[in-house]
Amino acid sequence: MIDALDRRIIAALQLNGRAPWAGIARWAGTSESTAQRRFNALRERKLLHVVGAVELDRTGGGSSMLVRMQARPGKGLELAELLAECPEVRFLALVTGTADLIVDFVARDNEELLRLLYTDLPGAHLIAGTEHVAVIRTFSSAAMWDAGLLPEEAVADLRPARTPPCERVDWDKAPQPLTELERAVVGELAIDGRLPVTTIARNLDRGESSVARALERMVDRGCLHFRTLAEPALLGYEAEFMLWLSIDPGRLEAAGRQLAKHPGTKFLAAATGRFNLVGHMVLPRRTDLFRYTDEVIGALPGLNGSDVTLHLVTLKGAWTRMDQFDA
């Protein structure tokens, strides 16, 4: 579907979805005009999109609840479509294994969570069972994932200096809510993460300098990042799966730090429930799962149990429908 140049452009955008075209072109090995043209073509084909998203724990923007769902027989797709329309659903995938769907709900407080999960759950009549897992700390985030197609020098050049979640020491620091202007800027970037400051300012009827400062503040505080949404298969990762692990409480941090360093780890978080370490992973081939299970999962300290749910299709990521990218 795409060629090597397209992959290098996507890989550069994975490092920084808002990187200047000059930097993207340099590491992709092409001209700026070609890089932009290829990017626009990928967007038009609904293969790629860049969005801005905030870190929940740094802004007090809500909490994440991962839900493993079993659908009634033959109703998985219908249920997924109903859930995808829910604005509180940040991530949604159809999977195989001990669950049929994985849904990430983001709720502001317990009252909203109660409404989402027990009162107004979309497609409740199509659900055969659920299991809730509350995310309590991240070890690795999808915004920090490196596809590994570009040299380390490209990472240093394109990616803003950020502390990996597993190395953060400010987890006990109170979140800093966004200002009205910052929320408005995030709203624009959630639609298109590469919108120029001039366009954002015009849309919000605000001064360019004010918008630029608000954007810079959020990036500097680490509360705003840019996600490049593309199927991992486009970058050579045919196996995509969620990993559900049960780790001894006293070994949870050690296991999380160890697994976060694996190049196939896109997202990893400590959680509540029987699965207290949950990850979103990719590997080049499904056959790689054998060695991964034996050598990577099997080597984790304090491991008591594991489960794998293989992705069939991702419908939603970073609050964005993956099959409905705006061109």
Side-chain angles (χ1 to χ4, degrees):
M1 295 177 64
I2 65 174
D3 62 17
L5 176 56
D6 288 327
R7 292 187 183 92
R8 291 195 297 272
I9 292 170
I10 297 173
L13 289 164
Q14 288 276 358
L15 295 174
N16 181 359
R18 204 173 169 83
W21 285 118
I24 293 171
R26 179 169 62 255
W27 292 108
T30 188
S31 66
E32 290 186 45
S33 60
T34 298
Q36 292 184 60
R37 186 174 68 252
R38 291 292 190 107
F39 170 78
N40 290 331
L42 290 167
R43 283 193 62 186
E44 289 171 2
R45 295 167 62 190
K46 301 186 184 299
L47 297 177
L48 174 69
H49 195 54
V50 177
V51 297
V54 295
E55 293 281 358
L56 299 177
D57 66 281
R58 292 185 186 272
T59 62
S63 57
S64 169
M65 178 71 73
L66 289 169
V67 182
R68 294 159 50 100
M69 289 188 180
Q70 291 81 40
R72 290 174 52 196
K75 298 297 183 180
L77 278 172
E78 183 181 350
L79 174 59
E81 287 294 334
L82 291 173
L83 288 165
E85 297 304 314
C86 179
E88 292 85 3
V89 170
R90 178 169 59 171
F91 171 85
L92 170 62
L94 280 162
V95 300
T96 63
T98 53
D100 300 314
L101 294 92
I102 305 300
V103 189
D104 179 16
F105 289 98
V106 173
R108 291 187 300 270
D109 50 35
N110 284 344
E111 183 178 348
E112 183 170 80
L113 191 61
L114 184 68
R115 175 184 64 79
L116 284 171
L117 298 181
Y118 297 103
T119 305
D120 300 328
L121 182 62
H125 61 293
L126 303 175
I127 299 173
T130 62
E131 181 176 5
H132 306 153
V133 175
V135 172
I136 53 178
R137 180 170 295 187
T138 56
F139 289 99
S140 182
S141 68
M144 295 290 288
W145 183 61
D146 178 4
L149 300 184
L150 298 177
E152 292 183 3
E153 293 83 1
V155 180
D157 179 48
L158 296 175
R159 174 160 283 171
R162 291 181 58 191
T163 303
C166 62
E167 301 294 338
R168 281 177 52 186
V169 295
D170 61 347
W171 287 104
D172 296 326
K173 186 177 179 180
Q176 184 175 348
L178 300 180
T179 66
E180 180 182 353
L181 175 58
E182 289 171 342
R183 289 195 301 272
V185 171
V186 168
E188 294 290 314
L189 293 170
I191 300 171
D192 182 355
R194 292 195 65 87
L195 272 181
V197 168
T198 53
T199 303
I200 299 173
R202 183 171 62 250
N203 291 347
L204 299 179
D205 194 24
R206 300 293 293 264
E208 290 184 27
S209 59
S210 297
V211 169
R213 286 196 300 271
L215 196 160
E216 186 177 359
R217 282 197 307 270
M218 289 187 287
V219 172
D220 288 345
R221 295 205 311 265
C223 65
L224 173 65
H225 58 253
F226 296 95
R227 286 284 309 279
T228 298
L229 303 175
E231 291 293 341
L234 296 177
L235 298 172
Y237 294 92
E238 300 293 340
E240 184 178 9
F241 55 100
M242 292 289 290
L243 183 61
W244 311 83
L245 303 175
S246 176
I247 304 291
D248 286 336
R251 311 301 298 278
L252 185 57
E253 182 167 0
R257 285 176 174 268
Q258 182 171 315
L259 191 55
K261 296 176 182 177
H262 190 275
T265 300
K266 291 191 67 177
F267 165 81
L268 184 67
T272 61
R274 66 186 175 112
F275 297 117
N276 57 358
L277 190 61
V278 181
H280 182 181
M281 315 302 197
V282 292
L283 293 171
R285 296 166 299 277
R286 283 196 178 184
T287 53
D288 294 329
L289 270 166
F290 180 84
R291 290 186 61 184
Y292 181 88
T293 301
D294 188 43
E295 299 175 6
V296 178
I297 300 176
L300 293 174
L303 179 68
N304 285 314
S306 66
D307 187 30
V308 170
T309 52
L310 285 167
H311 283 220
L312 296 175
V313 62
T314 302
L315 272 71
K316 204 169 183 180
W319 285 281
T320 304
R321 280 294 297 254
M322 299 286 287
D323 57 346
Q324 296 178 6
F325 294 155
D326 294 327

